[in-house]
């Protein structure tokens, strides 16, 4: 409860007409951003504690992170980890399919394995140069890893194991796939 | 690749005109629909706020000075990225406006990811940037629909108010702007053309077949309605950058209600992402 209450209270404050329309003074806008950011961070801890009790791969809540800067294609975990688990929680009461986009350094290959052990089809998409120029963006990512997360269960989660591949094994696999296709 | 600049197929897809990257042919269930999408900006009105007609555009009011001005350099060639999961067209309009048009495999909407800013301040003219979609010859009879906080769709008629007689609308643009919290739609009774947004924006349909949404604004004069500051937010010493999505849907009226409702839920209440670093690389079997 104490971890969730700050976000409840901040969301209450965000109902003020100035917060909704953006007619608050600049220093108030900055304070709103501070309050929201801090409250979300506290809530993240609570979410991770709950998930670590449920989900495979999340051993402790200390290992669990969210990436608040995905909106500028920046994420410390996906950019710098040899291997990580992405857990997607679906808050809707029906199954949904999500197209996942994770910032990664270019010239890097990744494999994505779904909860049933299936290796998923992935695509590497270069980030537009305008994204790389966003002021304040501190990221090594120049591409995005894109894959389709099918049928996330209602009010449930699925975890995906994402592993950076040595470039030689990636190229060998790519060659094998291409030769199989041409045959 | 640089050409051919197309996405999807004839069930759902689009092709960019070779000579003008604003112009598309959209394919929906084998039907060909012309589409124009472009970025423009309204110059913000500057005034001393002494009279109504001298009011400046600002945080509380949107008051454009004249018609919108296109911002894109149409000589710049877009680029296409294609693969097994998604197809994209990357288009850079100028130094501060760019866009990715995207179609995921099997999806029922076309995504426009816009990136606008930092809006330059060198000429000290306030700029209010819009993204405008237009289907030429579409007959929606000056009527469009906007949502009310993501719930009921409300009917809007150009230069008309349901509760009183609007004798003269001197603010032809602003007077027809409405809050768009999740979607804006047009219909010719057979088909429906909608744009869904990922955040609340101002928007309108000022001509038949046209939808415009305001994506970003930077203004250098206060409108004297109370905040006492110009709407000129900066970070890292320059104007803010905004990045977001518009989702375009088109199709028969009866089918589109379902498509839009499910799409809105999927995009506005998205799955939450949790990342867990592995300290030593493990196999799937070990992890399981």
């Amino acid at each position: 409860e104490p971890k969730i209450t700050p976000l409840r209270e901040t969301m209450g404050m965000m109902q003020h007409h100035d917060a909704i329309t953006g007619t608050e003074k600049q220093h108030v806008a900055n304070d709103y951003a501070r309050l929201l950011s801090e409250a979300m961070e506290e809530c993240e801890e609570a979410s991770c504690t709950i998930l670590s009790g449920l989900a495979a791969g999340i051993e402790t809540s200390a290992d669990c992170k969210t990436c608040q800067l995905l909106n500028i294609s920046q994420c410390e975990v996906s950019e710098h980890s040899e291997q990580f688990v992405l857990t997607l929680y679906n808050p809707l009461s029906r199954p949904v399919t999500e197209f996942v986009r994770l910032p990664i350094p270019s010239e890097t290959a990744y494999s994505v394995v779904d909860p049933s052990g299936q290796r998923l089809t992935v695509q590497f998409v270069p980030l537009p140069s305008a994204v790389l120029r966003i002021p304040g963006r501190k990221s090594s990512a120049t591409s995005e890893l894109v894959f389709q997360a099918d049928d996330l269960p209602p009010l449930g989660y699925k975890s995906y194991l994402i592993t950076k591949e040595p470039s030689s094994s990636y190229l060998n696999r790519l060659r094998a796939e291409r030769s199989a296709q041409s045959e | 690749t640089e050409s051919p600049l197309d996405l999807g197929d004839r069930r759902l897809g689009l092709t960019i005109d070779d000579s003008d990257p604003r112009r598309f042919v959209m394919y929906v269930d084998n039907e060909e629909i012309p589409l124009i999408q472009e970025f423009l900006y309204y110059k913000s009105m500057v005034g001393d706020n002494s009279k109504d007609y001298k009011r400046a555009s600002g945080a509380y009011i949107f008051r454009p000075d004249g018609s919108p001005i296109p911002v894109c350099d149409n000589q710049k060639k877009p680029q296409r990225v294609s693969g097994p999961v998604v197809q994209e067209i990357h288009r850079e309009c100028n130094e501060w406006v760019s866009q990715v048009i995207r179609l995921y495999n099997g999806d029922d909407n076309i995504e426009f990811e816009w990136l606008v800013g930092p809006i330059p301040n060198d000429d000290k003219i306030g700029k209010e940037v819009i993204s405008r979609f237009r289907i030429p010859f579409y007959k929606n009879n000056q009527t469009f629909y906007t949502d009310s906080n993501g719930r009921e769709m409300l009917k809007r008629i150009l230069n008309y108010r349901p509760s009183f007689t609007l004798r003269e609308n001197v603010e032809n643009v602003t007077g027809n702007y409405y809050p768009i919290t999740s979607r804006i739609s047009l219909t010719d009774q057979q088909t429906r053309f909608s744009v869904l947004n990922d955040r609340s924006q101002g928007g309108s349909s000022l001509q038949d077949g046209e939808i415009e949404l305001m994506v970003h604004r930077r203004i250098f004069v206060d409108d004297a309605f109370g905040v006492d500051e110009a709407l000129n937010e900066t970070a890292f010493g320059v104007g803010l950058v905004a990045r977001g999505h518009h989702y375009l849907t088109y199709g028969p009226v009866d089918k589109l209600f379902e498509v839009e409702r499910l799409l809105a839920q999927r995009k506005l209440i998205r799955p939450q992402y949790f990342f867990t670093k592995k300290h030593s690389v493990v196999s799937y079997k070990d992890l399981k």
Side-chain angles (χ1 to χ4, degrees):
Chain A
E1 282 291 314
K3 295 272 180 209
I4 297 169
T5 300
L7 187 54
R8 287 182 178 141
E9 289 178 351
T10 308
M11 288 309 292
M13 256 181 270
M14 296 301 120
Q15 309 304 309
H16 185 266
H17 62 88
D18 280 344
I20 287 171
T21 55
T23 47
E24 74 279 53
K25 278 184 182 281
Q26 187 59 53
H27 67 273
V28 179
N30 296 342
D31 196 43
Y32 283 162
R34 180 187 64 82
L35 287 166
L36 262 176
S37 169
E38 287 175 4
M40 283 163 74
E41 211 166 286
E42 284 207 49
C43 229
E44 178 183 311
E45 255 183 79
S47 309
C48 286
T49 307
I50 294 163
L51 266 181
S52 66
L54 293 173
I58 301 176
E59 289 90 354
T60 64
S61 60
D63 287 327
C64 165
K65 298 265 177 290
T66 58
C67 274
Q68 304 284 347
L69 296 173
L70 276 177
N71 65 340
I72 54 166
S73 303
Q74 179 177 327
C75 174
E76 196 269 329
V77 182
S78 66
E79 287 174 39
H80 298 118
S81 306
E82 291 295 312
Q83 190 178 49
F84 58 97
V85 176
L86 172 68
T87 301
L88 298 173
Y89 174 75
N90 171 17
L92 293 174
S93 58
R94 60 182 178 81
V96 291
T97 292
E98 169 82 352
F99 289 96
V100 176
R101 303 183 75 92
L102 301 175
I104 51 163
S106 64
E107 313 296 332
T108 317
Y110 286 81
S111 70
V112 178
V113 178
D114 78 0
S116 64
Q118 286 293 316
R119 200 186 170 103
L120 299 185
T121 302
V122 299
Q123 186 179 337
F124 304 99
V125 179
L127 284 168
S129 53
V131 173
L132 307 179
R133 294 198 304 266
I134 292 174
R137 183 176 178 271
K138 294 189 186 96
S139 169
S140 58
T142 51
S143 300
E144 279 178 315
L145 166 68
V146 187
F147 66 91
Q148 183 171 346
D150 270 329
D151 286 327
L152 302 176
L155 302 168
Y157 67 87
K158 269 190 181 177
S159 292
Y160 296 83
L161 180 65
I162 301 171
T163 311
K164 197 187 272 189
E165 285 195 346
S167 56
S168 57
S169 78
Y170 169 68
L171 286 173
N172 288 341
R173 194 165 53 78
L174 206 64
R175 278 190 204 111
E177 276 172 15
R178 281 195 182 148
S179 112
Q181 269 175 7
S182 63
E183 276 171 26
Chain B
T1 57
E2 284 192 359
S3 76
L5 287 170
D6 58 358
L7 298 179
D9 50 30
R10 291 189 68 88
R11 188 195 64 82
L12 180 66
L14 49 80
T15 306
I16 291 196
D17 189 307
D18 267 347
S19 57
D20 186 348
R22 290 172 304 177
R23 292 176 183 276
F24 303 86
V25 175
M26 186 165 59
Y27 301 102
V28 181
D29 297 331
N30 285 314
E31 198 186 337
E32 289 185 14
I33 304 116
L35 173 75
I36 300 167
Q37 188 278 330
E38 58 184 328
F39 289 98
L40 308 100
Y41 72 85
Y42 288 103
K43 284 198 286 183
S44 305
M45 181 69 82
V46 179
D48 60 10
N49 305 313
S50 59
K51 298 257 171 46
D52 275 354
Y53 64 87
K54 288 183 177 173
R55 294 221 73 102
S57 196
Y60 291 85
I61 57 165
F62 160 45
R63 225 181 146 224
D65 182 2
S67 302
I69 300 162
V71 291
C72 288
D73 174 358
N74 295 320
Q75 302 306 312
K76 284 193 178 178
K77 285 278 175 210
Q79 302 250 313
R80 177 173 180 266
V81 178
S82 182
V85 185
V86 66
Q87 294 170 44
E88 299 187 347
I89 292 172
H90 295 200
R91 184 177 179 216
E92 189 151 326
C93 281
N94 62 18
E95 277 296 296
W96 51 279
V97 179
S98 64
Q99 180 165 254
V100 177
I101 306 167
R102 175 176 294 146
L103 181 63
Y104 288 105
N105 269 1
D107 225 353
D108 51 15
N109 66 91
I110 298 170
E111 183 177 312
F112 291 75
E113 185 181 51
W114 48 267
L115 196 150
V116 178
I119 298 175
N121 63 349
D122 40 9
D123 56 6
K124 292 291 171 203
I125 295 173
K127 296 177 185 66
E128 320 207 16
V129 184
I130 58 163
S131 174
R132 192 167 73 184
F133 300 83
R134 183 151 69 93
I135 296 181
F137 313 115
Y138 196 81
K139 292 283 170 229
N140 53 291
N141 202 20
Q142 301 199 331
T143 303
F144 56 105
Y145 296 83
T146 67
D147 72 295
S148 46
N149 288 332
R151 294 181 176 87
E152 185 187 7
M153 294 298 282
L154 299 179
K155 186 177 182 176
R156 315 290 193 183
I157 300 172
L158 215 58
N159 298 314
Y160 171 81
R161 302 289 184 274
S163 53
F164 63 96
T165 305
L166 189 67
R167 287 201 199 109
E168 185 193 12
N169 187 0
V170 288
E171 302 284 352
N172 283 320
V173 177
T174 315
N176 289 299
Y177 253 61
Y178 291 92
I180 316 296
T181 47
S182 75
R183 97 185 74 152
I184 175 168
S185 300
L186 310 180
T187 179
D188 61 3
Q189 306 310 319
Q190 269 83 49
T191 61
R192 198 169 147 91
F193 166 43
S194 300
V195 178
L196 283 77
N197 52 2
D198 61 350
R199 69 199 65 191
S200 199
Q201 290 166 330
S204 187
S205 171
L206 298 172
Q207 286 186 52
D208 270 9
E210 199 173 277
I211 286 175
E212 68 179 59
L213 288 159
M214 187 172 291
V215 293
H216 195 8
R217 53 204 302 243
R218 189 178 186 193
I219 300 166
F220 305 102
V221 180
D222 174 45
D223 58 12
F225 272 116
V227 73
D228 204 25
E229 285 176 1
L231 196 67
N232 177 18
E233 196 171 2
T234 57
F236 305 100
V238 290
L240 289 193
V241 178
R243 188 187 192 190
H245 299 93
H246 289 148
Y247 306 98
L248 187 148
T249 61
Y250 180 93
V253 173
D254 51 349
K255 186 183 159 198
L256 255 274
F257 284 122
E258 184 193 345
V259 169
E260 285 175 20
R261 182 174 56 83
L262 298 178
L263 176 63
Q265 285 183 2
R266 196 151 59 88
K267 296 299 182 185
L268 298 175
I269 314 170
R270 284 186 60 194
Q272 292 172 17
Y273 287 45
F274 297 95
F275 295 84
T276 316
K277 267 190 195 178
K278 303 305 295 178
H279 299 297
S280 56
V281 174
V282 295
S283 68
Y284 166 76
K285 204 174 148 194
D286 291 341
L287 179 69
K288 203 175 180 195

